[in-house]
Amino acid sequence: MRAQDARPGAVAPGAARLRRALARWCGPALADLRNHSCSRLEEARVQALEERVAADLDLGRGADLVGELTELVTEHPLRERFRAQLMTALAQSGRLAEASSAYSEFRTTLVRELGVEPSPGLRALHTSILRGEVAGWWVQPATRSLSR
């Protein structure tokens, strides 16, 4: 299930399904065996987590997500979608200065570590936050994921 593809009224049940599936996950896939299959399984888990968070944001639960997203951003410092979700959750909570600061920190990290700027989508989200226009949340480009 992809949160942005959900029919009206189907977001809450989809979020609940993702929450149940993620609750059954017990840490990194085959942690002592690092291979391509394990990496794909871990990426699938993280994507499911992103989708669950997206559904919760669509339901207006930003204030409840700030702590979890802060941890996820620390765990995945180059993952742009988690950063966008944190910015959105902070904005939904009325914490606009913190949302803007989260963008600035991410931009600094990207430039320092990879020599790249945030995506146009993330820059647009930041501009919307600065203008006080954030109502929903940013949709990630199809394959924008930077991982260490």
Side-chain angles (χ1 to χ4, degrees), residues 19-77:
R19 202 172 288 106
R20 284 191 305 272
L22 288 163
R24 293 180 181 197
W25 198 276
C26 300
L30 304 172
D32 40 334
L33 298 175
R34 289 288 176 211
N35 62 39
H36 185 66
S37 295
C38 296
S39 297
R40 285 195 341 245
L41 284 172
E42 180 61 17
E43 179 62 20
R45 182 192 72 82
V46 172
Q47 287 176 353
L49 184 55
E50 288 174 334
E51 291 302 319
R52 197 268 304 154
V53 169
D56 285 340
L57 285 171
D58 286 345
L59 293 168
R61 297 181 179 152
D64 298 333
L65 295 170
V66 171
E68 176 184 10
L69 283 165
T70 299
E71 290 177 20
L72 288 168
V73 162
T74 300
E75 185 179 337
H76 304 278

Side-chain angles (χ1 to χ4, degrees), residues 72-140:
L72 288 168
V73 162
T74 300
E75 185 179 337
H76 304 278
L78 299 176
R79 197 156 187 114
E80 192 168 77
R81 191 170 186 197
F82 281 144
R83 185 66 60 146
Q85 290 173 326
L86 174 61
M87 291 165 58
T88 302
L90 288 165
Q92 284 182 357
S93 304
R95 298 161 64 177
L96 302 180
E98 290 174 72
S100 183
S101 178
Y103 172 83
S104 297
E105 291 168 10
F106 183 64
R107 183 187 174 279
T108 299
T109 300
L110 281 181
V111 170
R112 183 183 63 242
E113 293 192 23
L114 301 175
V116 299
E117 292 285 334
S119 73
L122 192 65
R123 290 192 308 264
L125 174 63
H126 181 238
T127 300
S128 294
I129 288 168
L130 293 174
R131 292 181 180 160
E133 300 170 346
V134 173
W137 74 282
W138 170 75
V139 177
Q140 174 188 6

